[in-house]
Structures are given as structure tokens and as C-alpha cells.
Amino acid sequence: MPAAVASRYARALAELATRAPAGVEPHRVLEELETVEAALAASAALRHVVLSPAVPAPQKRALIGKLAGRLGLSDLVRRFLLVVIDHRRAALLADIRQAFEALLDERLGLVRVDVTSARELTARQREAVTSGLARLTGKRPRPRFATDAGLIGGVVARVGSTVYDGSVRGQLGVLEKRLAGTRA
């Protein structure tokens, strides 16, 4: 149930953020939501005021107004946060942000890709991986790069539930299965 509610709020925000006269870039909206999420994670007192049902709505609204000013939030995000607070959905903020990010990617023709390599990739290697993934998926990849020394060498890319394993560890695993199959 919380995922469905978060999805509805995310869809509403995506509609507003992707309209032409929104006044703010959709990716900026995402960054601002991440900033609010980080502020809530960093301050137990702030989190308590925003999430507590014992704190009256006018006090929460005033706090959101001050927070929006300090963080430099756009009017769209400020108003959205007020709606979330008024409807007592602040506990779903992280879920709303994640759903909004997925919707935004979908609407803008982007695909999230988790790329793991044995060592840090150079800028040129990152470009090559990104362009290869664009050819494979037919969409513009939005990669997140990470390292895992256990891969030995090569790259593993995860696009949704599909895994492209070009790692040495993966190739050794395939070779091991082939050799085990010929012995049986």
C-alpha cells in the first residue's frame, strides 16, 4: 500500500515537473528532493518534527517554509512538500523520491544502469561503456559506477533485471561450467 501511495504522489509531481511552464528543470526537482531527504537524515530533531503526528500541521508548514528557504528549494518542491505534510505522507518521502526518479527516467528516455568494474574506470572507458549500453538498450543510459576487486577484471552492467557480465570472474565461471559439463 505505501508503494502505491508513493507512486501516486510521484506521478503528480512528475506531471508538474515535466510541464513546459514548470519553472524548474525536472532533474533539479529530483536533486532538491534528495537534498530534503539528506537534511531529514542528518537531523533527528528535524525528522521528529516532520514525522511526528503530535506536532501540529501549522508548525510543520512553518518549518518546511524555513527549510525551503535555507536549502534554496524551488517553489514547486516547497509546495509539494507542504501537500505531503498536509496529507501526513512525510514518512513516504524516500519512496516518493525513488518513484519520481524512476518516472522521470522513463519520461525522458533514460535507463538506470549499475556498472561495476574491478578498478575505477577512466573517463574514456566510462564513455565507451555508456555508448555500448546505449546501443544495447536503445535508450540513454544513466550509469552509476562502482568498483569490486573480486571481479578480477572487466565490467558487469545491470539494467533492470538484465545483467551483462563481461568480467573475468564471470568468464571463468562460464568456463568452469563448460569443463564440468564435459566431464560428466
Side-chain angles (χ1 to χ4, degrees):
M1 181 68 158
V5 173
S7 181
R8 281 197 301 270
Y9 279 87
R11 268 196 313 275
L13 182 59
E15 281 295 320
L16 293 171
T18 55
R19 281 189 191 156
V24 62
E25 288 292 318
H27 285 293
R28 170 98 192 275
V29 171
L30 179 60
E31 289 170 4
E32 290 179 11
L33 290 176
E34 289 170 342
T35 301
V36 170
E37 207 175 334
L40 288 171
S43 172
L46 176 63
R47 195 170 46 254
H48 172 72
V49 171
V50 170
L51 298 177
S52 175
V55 176
Q59 188 177 347
K60 289 180 183 185
R61 291 178 67 80
L63 179 67
I64 292 298
K66 289 178 186 175
L67 182 66
R70 284 194 181 131
L71 296 177
L73 302 180
S74 63
D75 189 50
L76 174 64
V77 172
R78 182 189 58 77
R79 287 183 288 121
F80 178 76
L81 290 173
L82 291 174
V83 168
V84 169
I85 293 293
D86 289 345
H87 290 95
R88 297 182 179 150
R89 301 295 189 198
L92 297 176
L93 217 54
D95 295 331
I96 293 169
R97 191 225 10 106
Q98 289 173 353
F100 176 75
E101 186 175 7
L103 282 168
L104 195 59
D105 286 350
E106 184 180 311
R107 288 177 186 218
L108 299 176
L110 301 171
V111 63
R112 280 190 252 170
V113 181
D114 292 316
V115 179
T116 308
S117 58
R119 285 175 271 305
E120 189 72 30
L121 297 177
T122 65
R124 186 179 221 172
Q125 291 169 326
R126 286 178 182 226
E127 283 180 36
V129 168
T130 302
S131 65
L133 289 166
R135 283 191 305 277
L136 276 173
T137 63
K139 295 183 176 187
R140 291 184 330 204
R142 192 163 62 100
R144 287 182 289 203
F145 292 96
T147 59
D148 177 5
L151 293 179
I152 305 170
V155 173
V156 175
R158 180 180 306 273
V159 181
S161 61
T162 305
V163 176
Y164 300 98
D165 191 347
S167 68
V168 173
R169 181 177 68 190
Q171 291 171 6
L172 288 173
V174 169
L175 182 60
E176 180 182 30
K177 286 180 185 177
R178 283 187 188 159
L179 290 173
T182 58
R183 284 191 216 149

